[in-house]
Coordinates of all heavy atoms in Angstrom, one line a residue:
M1 N 175.8 46.4 172.4 CA 176.0 45.9 173.8 C 176.8 44.7 173.8 O 176.7 43.8 172.9 CB 174.6 45.6 174.4 CG 173.7 46.8 174.6 SD 174.1 47.6 176.2 CE 172.8 48.8 176.2
I2 N 177.6 44.6 174.8 CA 178.3 43.3 175.1 C 177.8 42.8 176.5 O 177.7 43.6 177.4 CB 179.8 43.5 175.2 CG1 180.4 43.8 173.8 CG2 180.5 42.3 175.8 CD1 181.9 44.1 173.8
T3 N 177.5 41.6 176.6 CA 177.0 41.0 177.8 C 178.2 40.4 178.5 O 178.9 39.6 178.0 CB 175.9 39.9 177.6 OG1 174.8 40.6 176.9 CG2 175.4 39.4 178.9
I4 N 178.4 40.7 179.8 CA 179.5 40.2 180.6 C 178.8 39.5 181.8 O 177.9 39.9 182.4 CB 180.3 41.4 181.1 CG1 181.0 42.0 180.0 CG2 181.3 40.9 182.2 CD1 181.9 43.2 180.3
T5 N 179.4 38.3 182.1 CA 178.9 37.5 183.2 C 179.9 37.8 184.4 O 181.1 37.5 184.2 CB 178.8 36.0 182.9 OG1 177.9 35.8 181.9 CG2 178.4 35.3 184.1
R6 N 179.4 38.3 185.5 CA 180.2 38.6 186.6 C 180.0 37.5 187.7 O 178.9 37.1 187.9 CB 179.8 39.9 187.2 CG 180.4 40.3 188.5 CD 179.9 41.7 189.0 NE 180.5 42.0 190.3 CZ 179.8 42.4 191.3 NH1 178.5 42.7 191.2 NH2 180.4 42.7 192.5
V7 N 181.1 37.0 188.2 CA 181.1 36.1 189.3 C 181.6 36.8 190.6 O 182.7 37.4 190.5 CB 182.0 34.9 189.1 CG1 181.9 33.9 190.2 CG2 181.7 34.2 187.8
Y8 N 180.8 36.8 191.6 CA 181.2 37.6 192.8 C 180.6 36.9 194.1 O 179.8 36.0 194.0 CB 180.6 39.0 192.7 CG 179.1 39.1 192.8 CD1 178.5 39.4 194.0 CD2 178.3 38.9 191.7 CE1 177.1 39.5 194.1 CE2 176.9 38.9 191.8 CZ 176.3 39.2 193.0 OH 175.0 39.3 193.1
S9 N 181.1 37.3 195.2 CA 180.6 36.8 196.5 C 179.9 38.0 197.2 O 180.4 39.1 197.2 CB 181.7 36.2 197.4 OG 182.7 37.2 197.6
D10 N 178.8 37.6 198.0 CA 178.1 38.6 198.7 C 178.7 38.8 200.1 O 179.7 38.2 200.4 CB 176.6 38.3 198.7 CG 176.3 37.0 199.4 OD1 177.1 36.5 200.2 OD2 175.2 36.5 199.2
A11 N 178.1 39.6 200.9 CA 178.6 39.8 202.3 C 178.6 38.6 203.2 O 179.4 38.5 204.1 CB 177.7 40.9 203.0
N12 N 177.9 37.6 202.8 CA 177.9 36.3 203.5 C 178.8 35.3 203.0 O 178.9 34.1 203.4 CB 176.5 35.7 203.6 CG 175.5 36.6 204.3 OD1 175.8 37.2 205.3 ND2 174.3 36.6 203.8
G13 N 179.6 35.7 201.9 CA 180.5 34.8 201.3 C 179.9 33.8 200.3 O 180.6 33.0 199.7
E14 N 178.6 34.0 200.0 CA 178.0 33.2 199.0 C 178.3 33.7 197.6 O 178.4 34.9 197.3 CB 176.5 33.2 199.1 CG 176.0 32.6 200.4 CD 176.1 31.1 200.5 OE1 175.9 30.5 199.5 OE2 176.5 30.6 201.6
S15 N 178.6 32.7 196.7 CA 179.0 33.1 195.3 C 177.7 33.2 194.4 O 176.7 32.5 194.6 CB 179.9 32.0 194.7 OG 181.1 31.9 195.4
H16 N 177.8 34.1 193.5 CA 176.7 34.4 192.6 C 177.2 34.7 191.2 O 178.4 35.2 191.0 CB 175.9 35.7 193.0 CG 175.4 35.5 194.4 ND1 174.2 34.9 194.7 CD2 175.9 35.9 195.6 CE1 174.0 34.9 196.0 NE2 175.0 35.6 196.6
F17 N 176.4 34.5 190.2 CA 176.6 34.9 188.8 C 175.7 36.0 188.5 O 174.5 36.0 188.9 CB 176.4 33.8 187.8 CG 177.4 32.7 187.9 CD1 177.2 31.6 188.7 CD2 178.5 32.7 187.1 CE1 178.1 30.5 188.7 CE2 179.4 31.7 187.1 CZ 179.2 30.6 187.9
E18 N 176.1 37.0 187.8 CA 175.3 38.2 187.4 C 175.7 38.6 186.0 O 176.8 38.8 185.7 CB 175.5 39.3 188.3 CG 174.9 40.6 187.9 CD 175.3 41.8 188.8 OE1 176.5 42.0 189.1 OE2 174.4 42.6 189.1
D19 N 174.7 38.7 185.1 CA 174.9 39.2 183.7 C 174.7 40.7 183.7 O 173.7 41.2 184.3 CB 174.0 38.6 182.7 CG 174.5 37.1 182.4 OD1 175.6 36.8 182.7 OD2 173.6 36.4 181.9
F20 N 175.5 41.5 183.1 CA 175.3 42.9 182.9 C 175.7 43.3 181.5 O 176.6 42.6 180.9 CB 175.9 43.8 184.0 CG 177.4 43.8 184.0 CD1 178.1 44.8 183.4 CD2 178.1 42.9 184.7 CE1 179.5 44.9 183.4 CE2 179.5 42.9 184.8 CZ 180.2 43.9 184.1
E21 N 175.2 44.4 181.0 CA 175.5 44.8 179.6 C 176.4 46.1 179.6 O 176.2 47.0 180.4 CB 174.2 45.0 178.8 CG 173.5 43.7 178.6 CD 172.3 43.9 177.7 OE1 171.7 45.1 177.7 OE2 171.8 42.9 177.1
V22 N 177.3 46.1 178.7 CA 178.2 47.2 178.5 C 177.8 47.9 177.2 O 177.8 47.2 176.2 CB 179.7 46.8 178.5 CG1 180.6 48.0 178.2 CG2 180.1 46.2 179.8
P23 N 177.3 49.1 177.2 CA 176.9 49.8 176.0 C 178.1 50.1 175.1 O 179.2 50.3 175.6 CB 176.3 51.1 176.5 CG 176.7 51.3 177.9 CD 177.1 50.0 178.4
L24 N 177.9 50.0 173.8 CA 178.9 50.3 172.8 C 178.4 51.5 172.0 O 177.3 51.6 171.7 CB 179.2 49.1 171.9 CG 179.6 47.8 172.6 CD1 179.7 46.7 171.6 CD2 181.0 48.0 173.3
K25 N 179.4 52.3 171.5 CA 179.1 53.5 170.7 C 179.7 53.2 169.3 O 180.8 52.8 169.2 CB 179.6 54.7 171.3 CG 179.0 55.2 172.6 CD 179.6 56.4 173.1 CE 180.2 56.1 174.4 NZ 181.0 57.1 175.0
N26 N 179.0 53.6 168.3 CA 179.4 53.5 166.9 C 180.6 54.5 166.7 O 180.4 55.7 166.8 CB 178.3 53.7 165.9 CG 178.7 53.4 164.5 OD1 179.9 53.4 164.1 ND2 177.7 53.2 163.7
N27 N 181.7 54.0 166.3 CA 182.9 54.8 166.0 C 183.3 54.7 164.6 O 184.5 54.7 164.2 CB 184.1 54.5 167.0 CG 183.9 55.1 168.3 OD1 184.3 56.2 168.6 ND2 183.2 54.4 169.2
G28 N 182.3 54.5 163.7 CA 182.6 54.4 162.3 C 183.4 53.2 161.8 O 183.1 52.1 162.3
D29 N 184.4 53.5 161.0 CA 185.2 52.4 160.4 C 185.9 51.5 161.4 O 186.2 50.4 161.1 CB 186.2 53.0 159.5 CG 185.6 53.6 158.2 OD1 184.4 53.3 157.9 OD2 186.3 54.4 157.5
I30 N 186.2 52.0 162.6 CA 186.9 51.2 163.6 C 186.0 50.4 164.4 O 186.4 49.6 165.3 CB 187.8 52.0 164.5 CG1 187.0 53.0 165.4 CG2 188.9 52.8 163.7 CD1 187.9 53.6 166.5
G31 N 184.7 50.5 164.2 CA 183.7 49.6 164.9 C 183.1 50.3 166.1 O 183.0 51.5 166.2
F32 N 182.5 49.4 167.0 CA 181.8 49.9 168.1 C 182.7 49.8 169.4 O 183.3 48.7 169.6 CB 180.5 49.0 168.3 CG 179.5 49.3 167.3 CD1 179.6 48.7 166.0 CD2 178.4 50.1 167.5 CE1 178.7 48.9 165.0 CE2 177.5 50.3 166.5 CZ 177.6 49.7 165.3
L33 N 182.7 50.8 170.2 CA 183.6 50.8 171.3 C 182.8 51.2 172.6 O 181.9 51.9 172.6 CB 184.7 51.9 171.2 CG 185.6 51.8 169.9 CD1 186.6 53.0 169.9 CD2 186.4 50.5 170.0
S34 N 183.3 50.6 173.7 CA 182.8 51.0 175.0 C 183.5 52.2 175.5 O 184.5 52.6 175.0 CB 182.9 49.8 176.0 OG 184.3 49.7 176.4
D35 N 183.0 52.7 176.7 CA 183.8 53.7 177.4 C 185.0 53.1 177.9 O 185.1 51.9 178.1 CB 183.0 54.4 178.5 CG 181.8 55.3 178.0 OD1 181.9 55.8 176.9 OD2 180.9 55.4 178.8
D36 N 186.0 53.9 178.3 CA 187.2 53.4 178.9 C 186.9 52.6 180.2 O 186.0 53.0 181.0 CB 188.2 54.5 179.3 CG 188.8 55.1 178.0 OD1 188.7 54.5 177.0 OD2 189.5 56.2 178.2
E37 N 187.6 51.6 180.5 CA 187.5 50.8 181.7 C 188.8 51.0 182.5 O 189.9 50.5 182.0 CB 187.3 49.3 181.4 CG 187.0 48.5 182.6 CD 185.7 48.7 183.3 OE1 184.7 49.2 182.6 OE2 185.6 48.6 184.5
P38 N 188.8 51.7 183.6 CA 190.1 51.9 184.3 C 190.7 50.6 184.9 O 189.9 49.8 185.4 CB 189.7 52.9 185.4 CG 188.3 52.7 185.6 CD 187.7 52.3 184.3
V39 N 192.0 50.4 184.7 CA 192.7 49.3 185.3 C 194.0 49.7 185.9 O 194.6 50.7 185.4 CB 192.9 48.2 184.2 CG1 191.7 47.6 183.7 CG2 193.8 48.7 183.1
K40 N 194.4 49.0 186.9 CA 195.7 49.3 187.5 C 196.8 48.6 186.7 O 197.9 49.1 186.6 CB 195.7 48.8 189.0 CG 197.0 49.1 189.7 CD 196.8 48.9 191.2 CE 196.6 47.4 191.5 NZ 196.6 47.1 192.9
S41 N 196.5 47.3 186.3 CA 197.5 46.6 185.5 C 196.7 45.6 184.6 O 195.5 45.3 184.9 CB 198.5 45.9 186.4 OG 197.9 44.9 187.1
I42 N 197.4 45.0 183.6 CA 196.8 44.0 182.8 C 197.8 42.9 182.4 O 199.0 43.3 182.2 CB 196.1 44.6 181.5 CG1 195.3 43.6 180.8 CG2 197.2 45.3 180.7 CD1 194.4 44.2 179.7
V43 N 197.4 41.7 182.4 CA 198.3 40.6 182.0 C 197.6 39.8 180.9 O 196.4 39.5 181.0 CB 198.6 39.7 183.2 CG1 199.3 38.4 182.8 CG2 199.3 40.4 184.3
F44 N 198.4 39.4 179.9 CA 197.8 38.5 178.8 C 198.4 37.1 179.0 O 199.6 37.0 179.4 CB 198.2 39.1 177.5 CG 197.5 40.4 177.2 CD1 198.2 41.6 177.5 CD2 196.2 40.5 176.7 CE1 197.6 42.8 177.2 CE2 195.6 41.7 176.5 CZ 196.3 42.9 176.8
R45 N 197.6 36.1 178.7 CA 198.1 34.7 178.9 C 197.5 33.8 177.8 O 196.4 34.0 177.4 CB 197.7 34.2 180.2 CG 198.1 32.7 180.4 CD 197.8 32.2 181.8 NE 196.3 32.2 182.0 CZ 195.8 31.6 183.1 NH1 196.5 31.2 184.0 NH2 194.5 31.6 183.1
E46 N 198.3 32.9 177.3 CA 197.9 31.9 176.3 C 198.2 30.6 176.9 O 199.3 30.3 177.4 CB 198.6 32.1 175.0 CG 198.1 31.1 173.9 CD 198.8 31.3 172.6 OE1 199.5 32.4 172.4 OE2 198.6 30.5 171.7
V47 N 197.2 29.6 176.9 CA 197.4 28.3 177.4 C 197.1 27.2 176.4 O 196.4 27.5 175.4 CB 196.5 28.0 178.7 CG1 196.9 29.0 179.8 CG2 195.1 28.2 178.4
S48 N 197.6 26.0 176.6 CA 197.4 24.9 175.7 C 196.0 24.4 175.8 O 195.4 24.6 176.9 CB 198.4 23.8 175.9 OG 198.1 23.2 177.2
P49 N 195.4 23.8 174.8 CA 194.1 23.2 174.9 C 193.9 22.3 176.1 O 192.8 22.1 176.6 CB 193.9 22.5 173.6 CG 194.8 23.2 172.7 CD 196.0 23.6 173.5
S50 N 194.9 21.6 176.6 CA 194.8 20.6 177.7 C 195.0 21.3 179.0 O 194.9 20.6 180.0 CB 195.9 19.5 177.5 OG 197.2 20.1 177.6
Y51 N 195.1 22.6 179.1 CA 195.3 23.3 180.4 C 194.1 23.1 181.3 O 193.0 23.2 180.9 CB 195.5 24.8 180.1 CG 195.6 25.7 181.3 CD1 196.8 25.8 182.0 CD2 194.5 26.4 181.8 CE1 196.9 26.6 183.1 CE2 194.6 27.2 182.9 CZ 195.9 27.3 183.6 OH 196.0 28.0 184.7
D52 N 194.4 22.7 182.5 CA 193.4 22.5 183.5 C 194.0 22.9 184.9 O 194.8 22.2 185.4 CB 193.0 21.0 183.5 CG 191.8 20.7 184.5 OD1 191.2 21.7 185.0 OD2 191.5 19.5 184.7
Y53 N 193.5 24.0 185.4 CA 194.0 24.5 186.7 C 193.0 24.1 187.8 O 191.8 24.4 187.6 CB 194.2 26.0 186.6 CG 195.0 26.5 187.7 CD1 196.4 26.2 187.9 CD2 194.5 27.4 188.7 CE1 197.2 26.7 188.9 CE2 195.3 27.9 189.7 CZ 196.6 27.5 189.8 OH 197.4 28.0 190.8
D54 N 193.4 23.4 188.8 CA 192.5 22.9 189.8 C 191.9 24.1 190.6 O 192.3 25.2 190.5 CB 193.3 22.0 190.8 CG 192.4 21.1 191.6 OD1 191.2 21.0 191.3 OD2 192.9 20.5 192.6
F55 N 190.8 23.8 191.4 CA 190.1 24.8 192.1 C 191.0 25.7 192.9 O 191.9 25.3 193.5 CB 189.1 24.1 193.1 CG 188.3 25.1 193.9 CD1 187.2 25.7 193.3 CD2 188.6 25.4 195.2 CE1 186.5 26.7 194.0 CE2 187.9 26.3 195.9 CZ 186.9 27.0 195.3
H56 N 190.7 27.0 192.8 CA 191.5 28.0 193.5 C 190.6 29.3 193.6 O 189.7 29.5 192.9 CB 192.8 28.3 192.8 CG 192.6 29.0 191.5 ND1 192.2 28.3 190.4 CD2 192.7 30.3 191.1 CE1 192.1 29.1 189.4 NE2 192.4 30.4 189.8
N57 N 190.9 30.1 194.6 CA 190.3 31.4 194.7 C 191.1 32.4 193.8 O 192.4 32.4 193.9 CB 190.3 31.9 196.1 CG 189.4 31.1 197.0 OD1 188.4 30.7 196.6 ND2 189.8 30.9 198.3
A58 N 190.4 33.1 193.0 CA 191.1 34.1 192.1 C 191.8 35.1 193.0 O 191.3 35.6 194.0 CB 190.1 34.8 191.2
P59 N 193.1 35.4 192.7 CA 193.9 36.3 193.5 C 193.4 37.8 193.4 O 193.7 38.6 194.3 CB 195.3 36.2 193.0 CG 195.1 35.7 191.6 CD 193.8 34.9 191.6
D60 N 192.8 38.2 192.3 CA 192.4 39.5 192.0 C 191.1 39.5 191.1 O 190.7 38.4 190.6 CB 193.5 40.3 191.3 CG 194.7 40.5 192.1 OD1 194.6 41.1 193.2 OD2 195.8 40.0 191.7
R61 N 190.6 40.7 190.9 CA 189.5 40.7 189.8 C 190.1 40.4 188.5 O 191.2 40.8 188.2 CB 188.9 42.1 189.8 CG 188.1 42.5 191.0 CD 187.5 43.8 190.8 NE 186.6 44.1 191.9 CZ 185.7 45.0 191.9 NH1 185.4 45.7 190.8 NH2 185.0 45.2 193.0
Q62 N 189.3 39.6 187.7 CA 189.9 39.2 186.4 C 188.8 39.3 185.3 O 187.6 39.1 185.6 CB 190.3 37.7 186.5 CG 191.4 37.5 187.5 CD 191.8 36.0 187.6 OE1 191.2 35.2 186.9 NE2 192.8 35.7 188.4
Y63 N 189.2 39.6 184.2 CA 188.4 39.5 183.0 C 188.9 38.3 182.2 O 190.1 38.2 182.0 CB 188.5 40.7 182.0 CG 187.7 41.9 182.5 CD1 188.2 43.0 183.1 CD2 186.3 42.0 182.2 CE1 187.5 44.1 183.5 CE2 185.5 43.1 182.6 CZ 186.1 44.1 183.2 OH 185.4 45.2 183.6
I64 N 188.1 37.4 181.8 CA 188.5 36.3 181.0 C 187.9 36.5 179.6 O 186.6 36.5 179.5 CB 188.0 34.9 181.6 CG1 188.7 34.7 183.0 CG2 188.4 33.8 180.7 CD1 188.1 33.5 183.7
V65 N 188.7 36.6 178.6 CA 188.2 36.8 177.3 C 188.7 35.6 176.4 O 189.9 35.4 176.3 CB 188.8 38.1 176.7 CG1 188.4 38.3 175.2 CG2 188.5 39.3 177.5
L66 N 187.7 34.9 175.9 CA 188.0 33.7 175.1 C 187.9 34.1 173.7 O 186.9 34.5 173.2 CB 187.0 32.6 175.4 CG 187.1 32.0 176.9 CD1 186.0 31.0 177.1 CD2 188.4 31.4 177.1
L67 N 189.0 33.8 173.0 CA 189.0 34.1 171.5 C 188.6 32.8 170.8 O 188.1 32.9 169.7 CB 190.4 34.5 171.1 CG 190.9 35.8 171.7 CD1 192.3 36.1 171.2 CD2 190.0 36.9 171.5
E68 N 188.7 31.7 171.5 CA 188.4 30.4 170.9 C 188.2 29.4 172.0 O 188.9 29.4 173.0 CB 189.6 30.0 170.0 CG 189.4 28.8 169.1 CD 190.6 28.6 168.2 OE1 190.8 29.5 167.3 OE2 191.3 27.6 168.3
G69 N 187.4 28.4 171.8 CA 187.2 27.4 172.8 C 186.2 27.7 173.9 O 185.3 28.5 173.7
G70 N 186.4 27.2 175.1 CA 185.4 27.4 176.2 C 186.1 27.3 177.5 O 187.2 26.9 177.6
V71 N 185.3 27.6 178.6 CA 185.9 27.5 179.9 C 184.7 27.1 180.8 O 183.6 27.5 180.6 CB 186.5 28.9 180.4 CG1 185.4 30.0 180.5 CG2 187.2 28.7 181.7
E72 N 185.0 26.4 181.8 CA 184.0 26.0 182.9 C 184.4 26.6 184.2 O 185.6 26.5 184.6 CB 184.0 24.5 183.0 CG 182.9 24.0 184.0 CD 182.8 22.5 184.0 OE1 182.9 21.8 183.0 OE2 182.7 22.0 185.2
I73 N 183.5 27.4 184.8 CA 183.8 28.1 186.0 C 182.8 27.5 187.0 O 181.6 27.5 186.8 CB 183.6 29.6 185.9 CG1 184.7 30.1 184.9 CG2 183.8 30.3 187.2 CD1 184.5 31.6 184.6
E74 N 183.3 27.1 188.2 CA 182.5 26.6 189.3 C 182.7 27.4 190.5 O 183.8 27.9 190.8 CB 183.0 25.1 189.6 CG 182.1 24.4 190.6 CD 182.6 23.0 190.8 OE1 183.1 22.4 189.8 OE2 182.4 22.5 191.9
V75 N 181.6 27.7 191.2 CA 181.7 28.5 192.4 C 181.2 27.7 193.6 O 180.4 26.7 193.4 CB 180.9 29.8 192.3 CG1 181.4 30.7 191.2 CG2 179.4 29.5 192.1
H76 N 181.7 28.0 194.8 CA 181.3 27.3 196.0 C 180.8 28.3 197.0 O 181.2 29.4 197.0 CB 182.5 26.5 196.6 CG 182.9 25.4 195.7 ND1 182.4 24.1 195.8 CD2 183.8 25.3 194.7 CE1 183.0 23.3 194.9 NE2 183.9 24.1 194.2

């Protein structure tokens, strides 16, 4: 299982955090894989350690995958 934290707003515009688990299946030598996740497009980005983007509304649904370091997410 992989645990994903979802940030979303409800019908009243209130922001919430929700953890959910994605099941993984053993695929032998190549490791454990989830089912396919359909996407319309994908963008990859690398930023410097000093990167700091001021408060903004995300323009689309996003997955943030950290390979190293950390991120602080604030909701209003």
Side-chain angles (χ1 to χ4, degrees):
M1 293 275 182
I2 290 179
T3 301
I4 295 176
T5 301
R6 175 181 176 224
V7 181
Y8 68 98
S9 59
D10 63 20
N12 296 322
E14 295 290 322
S15 298
H16 302 276
F17 289 92
E18 170 190 44
D19 287 340
F20 67 95
E21 293 184 336
V22 175
L24 301 175
K25 293 181 243 171
N26 187 340
N27 281 270
D29 291 343
I30 64 169
F32 292 79
L33 302 176
S34 71
D35 288 337
D36 290 346
E37 184 70 30
V39 297
K40 183 169 66 173
S41 66
I42 188 167
V43 173
F44 296 94
R45 177 177 67 173
E46 182 178 349
V47 297
S48 69
S50 62
Y51 177 80
D52 185 11
Y53 196 65
D54 200 10
F55 179 77
H56 66 284
N57 292 324
D60 294 300
R61 289 184 178 201
Q62 300 178 358
Y63 281 99
I64 299 173
V65 179
L66 296 175
L67 301 180
E68 189 174 294
V71 65
E72 183 176 320
I73 297 174
E74 183 177 331
V75 298
H76 293 270

